[in-house]
Amino acid sequence: VRIFERRLAMRESHLHYEGCPQCAGGVSPKLFDALQALEIQLPPEVVQSPIDTITLQGRWKNLHLGVPPGRKMLAVFRGALPRGPVSGHQAFDALLLDHAERRGARIIGGRVERVYRDQHGKPVLSVREEGEAHPVTADFLVFATGINDSPGMQSNHTTGRELYARLCDKYRPPRLRKALIFELEGPCPGDPGEGNLHYVECTEGGLELEMCSILPKREYLTVSLIGRSVDRADSHKDNLEIIRRFLAVPRIRRLLPQGCSLTTRCACSPCIVVGTARHPTADRVAAVGDLVTCRQYKDGILSAHSMARSLAGTLLCEGVDNTSLQRSYGRTLKQFQRDNRYATVIFALYRVFFTSRFLSRVLYQTYSSEQKNRPAVQRRFEQLLWAISSGDESYRRILW
């Protein structure tokens, strides 16, 4: 197995991980379980903050969901950002590459510039390594470049999606939507909000936002925004104005650390996947992750893991031809597609309840009554809210 990662650069005779995958960086309970099953331990320098509480910010009052016993939620930095002085944290993605290398994969810090097929139909990659391009013939080629892969500073560089379409000519990418992710620096040490993941419904201050999350990471807070205001933003200046308005909303100011000067350290506007690609496989070629699909608004890393696991099983037990891929790997992709249809209904109902003052009261009274009158194991409504917020159940199961 060879892994080509363009974010690896040679520094002082060893590969050094650079850049940012433009991701919020949350490790869900199910992803934590998957890492444990793969015997991947997250060292202290990778874990930025263990999450012990999820707070749902309602129109009337807030709901506080404790992480259940035996479940783990964590905050990590996927890459080497926030921008600024080099910090001591280790990138989560770099850790995964280290584990792959220990188990026999060869990690190559180079950019794949071109792809084509040889006379036998095998995919061939033209890889630039240490300034020189050379061909590599593959028995099977897996693309995991995501959909935010940029061509780089040079105009002759092509994106992973463009390269994939050259080998898989019927491929049509999934439907996308913009998000806005920014890092706030300056939470106070020992702040009571540490370890508390916030989800906020925010349509105030001239903003139309459907989903907002605030994830603590030691001296940083990672804020992710999705909504019509973000969809309409056309420039970095528009994004900065959204950030300014968001931070000026009174209830947002109240939940941020008090008495600290918060600075926007970096901001990006990546696309997120809200659909499923069409014809995402060909003979000896397939993709995993955002090039194909993702669980709606949740668990991008876990989604990629589930696809990669299914694809590996298909290659080992079924075959490398497109018919085998469609039959076996295709079943997993259809499961994602079906589950995301349930997600559309769930998040629509979620927004209706949390943006209505009346329904928000009903929601809180139901939650409060259950807390007072039922033992923890019988609190079905709390379990429902936990499953939606943490991604700990399939959307189909949550809806039913």
Side-chain angles (χ1 to χ4, degrees):
V1 176
R2 299 186 191 185
I3 299 174
F4 299 94
E5 174 54 76
R6 70 180 180 86
R7 291 191 178 94
L8 292 176
M10 186 63 70
R11 284 225 187 141
E12 298 174 1
S13 77
H14 70 279
L15 289 172
H16 177 80
Y17 191 90
E18 297 180 336
C20 173
Q22 299 179 313
C23 174
V27 176
S28 70
K30 277 195 169 184
L31 176 58
F32 184 83
D33 291 344
L35 293 170
Q36 294 293 104
L38 292 170
E39 299 180 355
I40 296 176
Q41 304 297 324
L42 300 184
E45 60 268 26
V46 173
V47 178
Q48 296 301 305
S49 177
I51 305 302
D52 50 47
T53 306
I54 296 178
T55 297
L56 307 181
Q57 296 279 338
R59 280 284 185 174
W60 188 45
K61 290 187 178 181
N62 303 332
L63 308 182
H64 303 281
L65 309 173
V67 175
R71 309 303 287 148
K72 290 273 189 183
M73 287 189 78
L74 306 169
V76 298
F77 280 121
R78 289 276 312 275
L81 292 187
R83 197 166 49 222
V86 177
S87 59
H89 76 263
Q90 183 178 355
F92 177 81
D93 284 22
L95 175 74
L96 296 183
L97 287 170
D98 287 344
H99 276 275
E101 189 171 38
R102 286 179 210 161
R103 298 182 191 194
R106 182 184 168 201
I107 312 297
I108 300 169
R111 177 186 282 274
V112 176
E113 295 185 337
R114 193 163 65 94
V115 291
Y116 56 95
R117 292 185 185 270
D118 65 11
Q119 65 270 30
H120 304 294
K122 287 188 175 184
V124 181
L125 302 82
S126 177
V127 182
R128 182 161 297 277
E129 198 177 356
E130 297 181 5
E132 185 177 345
H134 62 276
V136 177
T137 302
D139 293 308
F140 195 90
L141 181 58
V142 182
F143 279 74
T145 64
I147 39 81
N148 291 297
D149 182 27
S150 62
M153 297 299 291
Q154 300 183 35
S155 59
N156 61 337
H157 284 166
T158 51
T159 66
R161 181 166 51 175
E162 291 168 339
L163 291 173
Y164 188 58
R166 293 177 186 178
L167 293 177
C168 192
D169 55 1
K170 292 184 178 180
Y171 167 76
R172 296 296 179 270
R175 200 159 42 88
L176 305 176
R177 189 178 192 187
K178 282 198 298 184
L180 175 57
I181 301 175
F182 59 97
E183 303 282 351
L184 293 174
E185 184 180 16
C188 304
D191 183 82
E194 193 173 349
N196 193 346
L197 167 61
H198 291 267
Y199 286 113
V200 189
E201 286 294 334
C202 182
T203 54
E204 303 172 43
L207 293 174
E208 294 181 77
L209 299 175
E210 299 164 21
M211 187 173 295
C212 316
S213 67
I214 302 176
L215 182 65
K217 295 179 182 177
R218 296 184 188 170
E219 69 269 27
Y220 293 96
L221 293 170
T222 300
V223 183
S224 304
L225 308 179
I226 300 170
R228 291 182 181 178
S229 293
V230 177
D231 295 335
R232 290 192 293 259
D234 293 324
S235 65
H236 185 61
K237 182 179 178 181
D238 291 342
N239 288 335
L240 292 178
E241 177 61 19
I242 292 172
I243 292 171
R244 186 192 67 78
R245 288 187 178 185
F246 178 78
L247 296 178
V249 172
R251 62 193 179 107
I252 299 300
R253 289 205 308 267
R254 285 194 295 270
L255 65 87
L256 294 174
Q258 302 299 307
C260 293
S261 177
L262 295 173
T263 304
T264 303
R265 177 56 65 184
C266 65
C268 61
S269 188
C271 290
I272 59 171
V273 174
V274 291
T276 303
R278 288 184 292 161
H279 310 295
T281 59
D283 288 344
R284 297 183 179 272
V285 179
V288 298
D290 283 355
L291 274 177
V292 186
T293 190
C294 182
R295 195 171 183 218
Q296 192 112 322
Y297 300 141
K298 298 283 181 185
D299 270 342
I301 312 171
L302 181 66
S303 298
H305 166 269
S306 300
M307 282 182 260
R309 185 184 181 92
S310 172
L311 180 58
T314 300
L315 302 184
L316 294 172
C317 303
E318 300 286 339
V320 299
D321 59 288
N322 195 30
T323 302
S324 298
L325 293 169
Q326 290 177 345
R327 182 176 59 246
S328 185
Y329 180 48
R331 281 198 298 268
T332 298
L333 303 184
K334 287 177 182 176
Q335 287 172 2
F336 273 96
Q337 190 173 26
R338 284 195 297 267
D339 204 45
N340 282 338
R341 291 192 185 117
Y342 291 102
T344 302
V345 179
I346 288 169
F347 285 113
L349 290 171
Y350 186 91
R351 285 192 293 273
V352 167
F353 270 82
F354 273 93
T355 55
S356 164
R357 293 188 182 277
F358 172 73
L359 292 177
S360 193
R361 281 175 177 257
V362 172
L363 200 78
Y364 180 80
Q365 293 291 358
T366 305
Y367 170 81
S368 180
S369 175
E370 188 179 65
Q371 294 290 308
K372 294 174 184 175
N373 300 320
R374 292 189 179 183
V377 294
Q378 295 180 12
R379 294 172 186 167
R380 298 291 300 278
F381 191 63
E382 180 182 17
Q383 293 166 14
L384 172 70
L385 293 174
W386 159 258
I388 295 173
S389 305
S390 66
D392 219 7
E393 292 283 0
S394 70
Y395 288 128
R396 179 181 182 275
R397 184 176 173 84
I398 289 171
L399 187 61
W400 285 114

